[in-house]
Amino acid sequence: MKTRIKEFRAKYNLTQAELAEKVGVRRETIVFLEKGKYNPSLKLAHDIAVILETSIDELFIFEE
């Protein structure tokens, strides 16, 4: 899975730590998400999309 979290985070001038705090996870979780090494729960994906004012589809690129 690829993500555009870093791109959207930069748009809102948020650090990984700030985004993590807003969605209630550790900064390392955001690092793993951005590197494609962690698949988020639907709730976490939704929470991140809400904070970054985008859709889950725009934020996460799911590959088979």
Side-chain angles (χ1 to χ4, degrees), residues 1 5 9 14 19 22 24 41 45 48-49 52 55 57-59 64:
M1 175 186 69
I5 294 172
R9 207 172 37 76
L14 287 171
L19 177 58
K22 287 180 181 286
S41 66
I48 293 170
L52 298 177
S55 68
D57 289 346
E58 284 291 318
L59 204 55
E64 293 188 27

Side-chain angles (χ1 to χ4, degrees), residues 30 37 40 47 54 61 63:
I30 302 300
K37 295 185 178 191
D47 291 348
T54 190
I61 298 115
E63 301 171 331

Side-chain angles (χ1 to χ4, degrees), residues 27-54:
R27 185 188 65 81
E28 290 81 2
T29 302
I30 302 300
V31 171
F32 288 143
L33 284 169
E34 289 183 357
K35 290 182 177 182
K37 295 185 178 191
Y38 177 73
N39 289 329
S41 66
L42 184 55
K43 179 176 181 351
L44 179 56
H46 174 265
D47 291 348
I48 293 170
V50 167
I51 295 296
L52 298 177
E53 297 181 4
T54 190

Side-chain angles (χ1 to χ4, degrees), residues 15 17 25 31 35 39 45 60 62:
T15 66
V25 297
V31 171
K35 290 182 177 182
N39 289 329
F60 297 94
F62 295 94

